[in-house]
Structures are given as C-alpha cells and as structure tokens.
Amino acid sequence: MSYADTVAKVSAMSVLSGSGVTKIKSFTIDGHTFNPNTLAMMASEIAYDYLHVTYSSSMNGKAIYNSTSNTLYLGFMYAGSLSRKALIVHEVTHAMFDFQAKSMDVGTSESLAYIAQCQYARANNESADPEDRLYSDDEAKDKVFEVGWELAGKLLGGGSLSGTDVSNMRNAV
C-alpha cells in the first residue's frame, strides 16, 4: 500500500468514526434503513482491509465505490473539507448496503446515499444559513443536492420522510 493510499485510508476511517457521523439520523427508503452507527462499523471494515481505500490522482477530488473489488477510490488523500467528508459518507453508504448484501435499484441506492451525504454536511455545517448547502455546477446534480438538503433538514429536525419526499428524491436522482 502506497503512502497516498494509507493517508486516504486513515482519512476515511477518521470521517466514519468521527463525531460528525453521530449527528446523522436514521431513515428508511423502500424498506432499506440507513443507520449512521453502521458507518462507524465500516471504519473497521477499512481498518481490516475488507473495504479497500485507494487514492487516485486522476479522479480530481471525486470518489467512487466499486462493489466488485470492495474498493473506495478517492481523488483526494485528505478529507479536509466538509464536502469531501460528506462525499466519503455518500460512497461508504453504498458500500455499507453492499456489505449487508442488500439488493436495491440504483434510484434507491443513490437516494439513500445522497440523503446521508446531505445530512452529514448539513449537520456539520458551521454556517447557520441553511442555504449554504452542497451544490454542483451541473444543474441536474444540483437538483439532487437541493432535494437532499431539504430532506436532510427535515430528518435532522426530527421529522420523517413521506412517500412524496422519497418520490421527489428518486426523481431528482
């Protein structure tokens, strides 16, 4: 394992076992429940190298989880920003359900991951302004963040997701 891979691995474990994850609320979509405590357990999967972490400079700040190789590819070594930490939460959410052998369609998988990502970012955002959210220059992807941010606020405020909420998220995805 290279130095860059080791740094990326430690960074991912730090995010997943950090206090920021404890602020996220559980929620269910299509019978699949996201539980933030499981993210902390995924840090152990990384530590024991069941979930591999690989740094790839060609990814330019992006991240992806590959279920075939159980590998989290990070386009950054350090998760120094809130958006990078939230991106790790997104990708590890995919890994979490994969490790649980949960079968679901792409819409459900991405909806779960984006809502978890937005919850992490919103709960750990030091700005009091709820409009200071995750965003993308890509209009379609920004719509996903807009809906995810709204639903994250609902969950963090003690609410639950309605059928309409889930439908809106799936449509945005």
Side-chain angles (χ1 to χ4, degrees):
M1 177 176 276
S2 74
Y3 173 78
D5 290 344
T6 301
V7 172
K9 176 179 177 173
V10 170
S11 187
M13 288 188 310
S14 176
V15 169
L16 298 172
S17 60
S19 63
V21 167
T22 64
K23 299 175 184 178
I24 304 173
K25 306 297 182 191
S26 295
F27 63 97
T28 302
I29 295 180
D30 298 336
H32 300 283
T33 299
F34 170 86
N35 182 330
N37 295 330
T38 309
L39 288 175
M41 291 190 310
M42 293 303 291
S44 294
E45 299 294 336
I46 292 171
Y48 291 111
D49 208 32
Y50 298 124
L51 174 56
H52 315 293
V53 178
T54 300
Y55 167 70
S56 174
S57 62
S58 65
M59 292 184 64
N60 298 319
K62 296 180 178 165
I64 190 168
Y65 167 67
N66 181 309
S67 61
T68 305
S69 63
N70 289 330
T71 303
L72 173 63
Y73 293 96
L74 298 178
F76 50 88
M77 284 188 288
Y78 303 102
S81 69
L82 183 59
S83 62
R84 285 182 176 179
K85 291 174 184 176
L87 182 55
I88 289 171
V89 167
H90 176 109
E91 294 303 332
V92 174
T93 296
H94 292 306
M96 180 178 81
F97 285 109
D98 183 45
F99 274 52
Q100 295 172 5
K102 301 288 184 177
S103 179
M104 64 185 76
D105 64 25
V106 172
T108 299
S109 179
E110 290 298 336
S111 294
L112 287 159
Y114 275 110
I115 292 170
Q117 177 181 12
C118 287
Q119 272 200 84
Y120 182 91
R122 189 164 181 160
N124 293 286
N125 187 349
E126 294 180 9
S127 165
D129 183 359
E131 295 302 313
D132 187 13
R133 64 171 175 84
L134 296 176
Y135 68 91
S136 173
D137 292 332
D138 177 301
E139 190 175 320
K141 188 170 183 179
D142 192 58
K143 183 65 177 174
V144 174
F145 284 137
E146 179 184 330
V147 174
W149 197 261
E150 177 186 334
L151 300 182
K154 187 174 186 179
L155 291 165
L156 292 168
S160 60
L161 300 181
S162 69
T164 301
D165 292 333
V166 172
S167 180
N168 289 344
M169 189 74 236
R170 288 180 66 88
N171 289 337
V173 164

